[in-house]
């Protein structure tokens, strides 16, 4: 050991360096993270999960849900849309302002679907009324007239439209592949997990991301049926059924209000009912508490007032993976469909 | 007999100048990249945003109040008992749908969340005898007015909106008041 002290020092500095980088610095950065107020409001965010949901986190953990589901949405960028909510009384001025904006932005990479729609409506009016300048314009509620702008350009465009008497506002739109799938509205940030221990971030996406699950599927009955028989609710789901979270029991005096309503092949025999065990109730309470779409300073967005979640999908990220899983799993599903549904005695 | 040559020895050679230049150029590029896209390790700056200034440029403009905002307030404050569909819940809270307490006098409606309501109350011809805490006392004037307007205009009715000024006026009138009874409220115009 000629070099004993040197080796010791090298090992010491290597370990100390990683400790500083991976433990101390993140702790100094985020260790004091607290709930904050939502942008433009007085509601604290995040709010601690209710007791049942907290128990559900343990069920989530125990059943390895985090092995297949992540809870971290990514975001590749943020753009600004200019939204026209009302045209106002001076439609011709708005029209010419839109035309100017179209001329400015038209040949660039920005999309102008909204402008074309609005001008299309205007041109139709023109033809009908045989007037060179439209006097009225059917207000298109909350139409994005310019999409994908930088903040400075969006502000300028909104100012130009407001100066023409219209009501235009800039809306902040996070974009990215995860968000395009309808999994959420913005990226996940550390603050979303302040009250969780442990944080069930997950690392694989064999199933869809669950960070904002409650927003796209707020129905507890759906979640229970999906846990009992995933393919009942999601075609080609690769998720295994979690039937041990349910109990098939003889109906006593009156049927339980919690009993699952299942289609024929899965339905219990007459006189029996399938009810969720307390674990299933807790897990669903936890799933329904997964909602991370609040606008924060570090993850700003403008919430749309319309129903924008229509195209939300539960499809997993890797669709080819899902396809292989589906084909592999269909054989398994046919084997475990009926027998497990037999009455307990 | 050939003379044996000595063992070969390594000689010192200076580091080539081009390598030094390349290393400094790489170092410079690295520092510029760090400066542009690290956010200087700010805890508030996450990936798509390069810096705090970049993040600030993307903050929502002008208040950011929307129907969605008030729906969030409704669901986290009122909807737990009155139901997200406003239909109320048995033994928890009476419905909003079809209730004349919702469509009636704004001054009466504003008073309920500010101080709560306890005791028997007739809603849609059914008597409820429960106790509601002062759920709205901690909300700001804007938020309370917005969420009351949301209730008035969402659940099947189109009653007049409630303004923050009205809320402010009522707050000043009643001060700190114990929970209302239905009779007290019926007396309010």
């Amino acid at each position: 050991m000629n070099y004993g002290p040197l080796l010791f020092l090298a090992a010491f500095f290597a370990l100390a360096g990683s400790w500083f980088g991976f433990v101390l610095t993140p702790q100094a950065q985020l260790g004091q993270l607290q709930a904050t107020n939502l942008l433009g409001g007085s509601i604290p965010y995040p709010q601690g999960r209710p007791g049942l949901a907290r128990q559900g986190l343990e069920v989530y953990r125990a059943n390895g849900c985090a092995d297949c589901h992540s809870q971290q949405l990514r975001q590749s960028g943020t753009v600004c849309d200019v939204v026209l909510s009302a045209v106002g009384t001076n439609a011709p001025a708005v029209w010419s302002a839109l035309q100017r904006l179209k001329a400015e932005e038209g040949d660039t990479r920005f999309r102008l679907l909204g402008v074309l729609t609005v001008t299309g409506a205007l041109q139709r009016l023109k033809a009908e009324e045989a007037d060179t300048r439209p006097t009225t314009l059917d207000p298109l509620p909350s139409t994005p007239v310019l999409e994908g702008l930088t903040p400075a350009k969006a502000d300028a465009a909104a100012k130009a439209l407001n100066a023409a008497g219209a009501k235009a506002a800039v809306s902040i739109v996070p974009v990215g592949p995860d968000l395009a799938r309808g999994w959420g509205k913005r990226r996940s940030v550390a603050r979303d997990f302040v009250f969780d221990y442990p944080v069930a971030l997950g690392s694989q996406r064999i199933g869809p991301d669950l960070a904002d699950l409650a927003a796209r599927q707020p129905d507890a009955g759906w979640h229970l049926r999906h846990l009992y028989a995933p393919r009942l609710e999601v075609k080609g789901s690769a998720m295994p059924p979690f039937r041990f979270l349910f109990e098939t029991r003889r109906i006593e005096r009156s049927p339980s209000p919690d009993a699952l309503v299942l289609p024929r092949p899965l339905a219990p025999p007459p006189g029996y009912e399938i009810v969720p065990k307390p674990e299933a109730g807790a897990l669903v309470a936890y799933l329904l508490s997964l909602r991370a779409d609040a606008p924060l300073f570090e993850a700003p967005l403008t919430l749309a007032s319309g129903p924008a979640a229509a195209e939300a999908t539960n499809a997993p990220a890797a669709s080819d993976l899902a396809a292989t899983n589906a084909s592999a799993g269909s054989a398994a599903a046919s084997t475990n469909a009926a027998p497990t549904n037999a009455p307990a005695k | 007999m050939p003379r044996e040559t000595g063992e070969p020895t390594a000689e010192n050679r200076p580091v080539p100048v081009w390598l030094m230049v390349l290393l400094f150029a790489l170092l410079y590029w690295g520092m510029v990249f760090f400066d542009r896209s690290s956010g200087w390790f700010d805890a508030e700056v996450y990936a798509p945003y390069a810096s705090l200034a970049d993040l600030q440029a993307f903050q929502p403009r002008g208040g950011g109040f929307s129907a969605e905002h008030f729906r969030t307030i409704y669901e986290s404050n009122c909807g737990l008992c009155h139901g997200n569909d406003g239909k109320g819940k048995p033994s928890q809270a009476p419905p909003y749908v079809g209730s004349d307490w919702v469509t009636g006098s704004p001054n009466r409606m504003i008073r309920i969340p500010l101080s709560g309501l306890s005791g028997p109350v007739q809603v849609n011809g059914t008597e409820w005898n429960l106790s509601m805490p002062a759920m709205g006392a901690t909300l700001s004037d804007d938020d309370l007015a917005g969420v009351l307007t949301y209730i008035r205009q969402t659940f099947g009715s189109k009653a007049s909106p409630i303004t923050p000024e009205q809320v402010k006026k009522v707050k000043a009138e009643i001060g700190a008041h114990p929970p209302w009874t239905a009779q007290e409220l019926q007396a309010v115009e």
Side-chain angles (χ1 to χ4, degrees):
Chain A
M1 284 298 269
N2 286 342
Y3 298 107
L6 195 64
L7 283 177
F8 172 79
L9 278 181
F12 178 81
F13 280 113
L15 292 175
S18 50
W19 184 78
F20 267 92
F22 292 118
V23 179
L24 189 67
T25 316
Q27 181 65 28
Q29 261 190 329
L30 299 172
Q32 304 300 314
L33 204 60
Q34 296 287 327
T36 181
N37 278 351
L38 283 192
L39 284 181
S42 56
I43 314 171
Y45 179 88
Q47 300 186 345
R49 298 191 196 284
L52 193 60
R54 224 171 268 212
Q55 291 173 30
L57 174 57
E58 297 299 320
V59 181
Y60 188 88
R61 221 180 142 189
N63 287 289
C65 304
D67 289 340
C68 297
H69 292 281
S70 61
Q71 282 184 26
Q72 38 184 340
L73 289 168
R74 293 165 300 183
Q75 180 180 333
S76 59
T78 311
V79 296
C80 292
D81 291 356
V82 179
V83 177
L84 195 62
S85 54
V87 176
T89 48
N90 196 356
V94 176
W95 183 67
S96 53
L98 280 171
Q99 290 291 35
R100 260 199 312 281
L101 288 169
K102 190 184 160 195
E104 279 171 28
E105 307 287 350
D107 298 328
T108 65
R109 64 200 162 87
F110 305 121
R111 288 193 289 155
L112 284 152
L113 301 173
V115 170
L116 295 177
T117 325
V118 174
T119 49
L122 281 164
Q123 276 153 8
R124 217 169 36 247
L125 263 175
K126 231 164 39 173
E128 281 166 9
E129 298 179 1
D131 190 358
T132 48
R133 295 199 132 188
T135 49
T136 58
L137 178 59
D138 188 31
L140 302 163
S142 303
T143 318
V145 289
L146 289 166
E147 293 181 327
L149 298 181
T150 61
K153 283 203 163 186
D155 282 341
K159 209 173 155 191
L161 285 172
N162 283 332
K167 264 192 182 170
V170 177
S171 87
I172 312 294
V173 184
V175 291
D178 286 1
L179 309 183
R181 287 185 187 103
W183 283 352
K185 296 201 182 76
R186 61 159 172 83
R187 65 158 296 150
S188 302
V189 294
R191 208 184 298 274
D192 294 333
F193 308 102
V194 162
F195 293 122
D196 279 353
Y197 187 83
V199 177
L201 277 184
S203 57
Q204 292 192 81
R205 280 179 170 176
I206 295 172
D209 190 278
L210 302 184
D212 198 26
L213 176 64
R216 65 176 185 264
Q217 191 46 265
D219 179 7
W222 186 95
H223 284 291
L224 287 170
R225 285 193 302 278
H226 182 247
L227 285 171
Y228 187 79
R231 284 163 188 232
L232 209 59
E233 300 294 346
V234 181
K235 210 163 260 178
S237 170
M239 182 171 129
F242 286 84
R243 291 190 187 159
F244 50 87
L245 297 176
F246 298 82
E247 182 186 4
T248 306
R249 67 181 188 198
R250 193 189 291 277
I251 298 180
E252 299 297 338
R253 285 184 200 84
S254 60
S256 161
D258 299 333
L260 295 194
V261 180
L262 297 166
R264 181 119 309 262
L266 291 171
Y272 287 85
E273 62 183 357
I274 298 171
V275 287
K277 290 182 186 168
E279 292 92 327
L283 180 56
V284 169
Y286 173 66
L287 293 177
L288 292 182
S289 76
L290 292 175
R291 183 154 187 178
D293 58 358
L296 296 174
F297 174 77
E298 61 261 46
L301 77 154
T302 308
L303 289 168
S305 46
E311 72 270 28
T313 167
N314 261 326
S319 51
D320 50 343
L321 180 68
T324 54
N325 274 338
S327 56
S330 56
S334 59
T335 58
N336 70 2
T340 46
N341 203 27
K345 47 181 172 176
Chain B
M1 202 174 191
R3 204 163 57 110
E4 276 187 21
T5 51
E7 289 286 318
T9 54
E11 292 168 16
N12 288 334
R13 281 181 68 188
V15 177
V17 173
W18 65 265
L19 187 61
M20 301 287 281
V21 172
L22 184 71
L23 285 176
F24 276 108
L26 270 175
L27 189 67
Y28 178 72
W29 175 81
M31 280 167 20
V32 169
F33 183 80
F34 175 84
D35 185 42
R36 284 222 183 121
S37 50
S38 71
W40 285 94
F41 295 128
D42 192 306
E44 305 262 65
V45 179
Y46 286 86
Y49 307 102
S51 64
L52 208 56
D54 189 23
L55 179 59
Q56 254 145 7
F58 279 105
Q59 293 302 312
R61 273 71 165 161
F65 289 109
S66 64
E68 184 75 8
H69 171 77
F70 296 121
R71 189 179 64 82
T72 316
I73 300 181
Y74 175 81
E75 290 186 0
S76 56
N77 287 281
C78 326
L80 299 175
C81 295
H82 288 281
N84 288 350
D85 53 3
K87 288 184 181 156
K89 291 187 182 170
S91 77
Q92 279 191 38
Y96 292 134
V97 178
S99 162
D100 53 356
W101 290 90
V102 169
T103 51
S105 153
N107 286 334
R108 193 182 300 156
M109 191 180 175
I110 295 168
R111 280 171 161 78
I112 301 176
L114 282 178
S115 299
L117 169 64
S118 68
V121 56
Q122 291 274 338
V123 179
N124 294 348
T126 314
E127 186 170 272
W128 297 71
N129 193 350
L130 298 163
S131 176
M132 169 178 155
M135 293 300 293
T138 54
L139 293 177
S140 69
D141 294 351
D142 290 320
D143 282 353
L144 185 58
V147 76
L148 289 175
T149 306
Y150 175 86
I151 291 170
R152 282 164 78 87
Q153 301 191 340
T154 305
F155 300 116
S157 62
K158 288 279 171 258
S160 62
I162 288 178
T163 62
E165 289 71 39
Q166 283 174 304
V167 173
K168 198 174 185 155
K169 195 161 144 272
V170 172
K171 266 187 183 173
E173 275 173 28
I174 64 173
H177 195 281
W180 304 95
T181 61
Q183 281 165 338
E184 283 177 310
L185 286 174
Q186 292 289 10
V188 175
E189 280 309 308

